[in-house]
Amino acid sequence: MAIVFGMAYGGVMPLYAVLARDAFSPAIMGTVFGAAAMVSSLGMALGPAVGGWIFDHSGSYSWLYIGSFAVGLGAVAIALTFPTGPVRRPEQLQPA
């Protein structure tokens, strides 16, 4: 299970850097990465405890699924508010 989790999580984490680079200027990159790390750490730390509390009080997992769905919709709404990056024409691109 640890291998499956590590492979799945390791595939998502590098996307944070790519998305941050495309959406924000280099001047605030440290703030963006700090905020992303803080929010993801809080979610990983509080998620199991809050989920257990909800299950203990409701007796089912249905509210956890509903809450997860709501958080996902919120993430999509936030992602849609990000500015799009500049469109680069082929003549502006340079090889690495």
Side-chain angles (χ1 to χ4, degrees):
M1 187 64 188
I3 292 172
V4 171
F5 178 77
M7 296 295 280
Y9 193 67
V12 172
M13 287 303 291
L15 292 176
Y16 288 165
V18 173
L19 292 173
R21 182 196 67 210
D22 287 345
F24 299 100
S25 72
I28 63 167
M29 203 56 66
T31 303
V32 171
F33 283 131
M38 182 190 71
V39 170
S40 63
S41 296
L42 282 174
M44 288 184 277
L46 296 177
V50 172
W53 182 84
I54 291 171
F55 178 79
D56 289 343
H57 283 74
S58 68
S60 75
Y61 288 104
S62 59
W63 283 109
L64 296 173
Y65 289 120
I66 293 169
S68 178
F69 184 74
V71 168
L73 287 178
V76 169
I78 290 170
L80 290 175
T81 64
F82 280 7
T84 58
V87 177
R88 296 184 183 129
R89 293 186 298 273
E91 61 270 5
Q92 291 176 321
L93 299 176
Q94 297 177 355

